[in-house]
Amino acid sequence: MMKKLLLHLDTDTVASTFDQAVAYDSGVDNIIAHGGATRDNVTSHVHGMIFTRGGKNLKNSAIFIG
C-alpha cells in the first residue's frame, strides 16, 4: 500500500512543528519537512515529490508551503 506523504516547505528557517502535528493528525503517514524555502529553491523539492510518485500514486502525495 502506498504511504501518504506530505512535503512540507516552510519559509521560516526551521519547519513549523505546529504544521507538522496538524498534518499527522489529518492522517499523513510521513512528512518530509524543509525550512528556509524560497522561490529559488522549491522547484527541485516539488519535482522530487511529483516525478517519483506520478500517475495513480500521485494522489497519495501533498505539498504544503507555510
Side-chain angles (χ1 to χ4, degrees):
M1 181 167 142
M2 182 66 62
K3 298 282 186 179
K4 294 178 184 174
L5 294 182
L6 172 70
L7 173 59
H8 174 205
L9 303 172
D10 203 318
T11 58
D12 289 339
T13 305
V14 177
S16 168
T17 54
F18 176 88
D19 292 340
Q20 292 176 56
V22 170
Y24 276 119
D25 290 344
S26 73
V28 171
D29 294 312
N30 200 353
I31 299 171
I32 303 165
H34 294 282
T38 68
R39 75 177 133 182
D40 296 327
N41 67 15
V42 298
T43 302
S44 62
H45 294 301
V46 171
H47 286 175
M49 177 66 94
I50 64 174
F51 294 139
T52 58
R53 297 172 64 89
K56 66 179 182 166
N57 294 322
L58 193 55
K59 68 181 179 185
N60 293 305
S61 306
I63 300 170
F64 174 74
I65 301 174

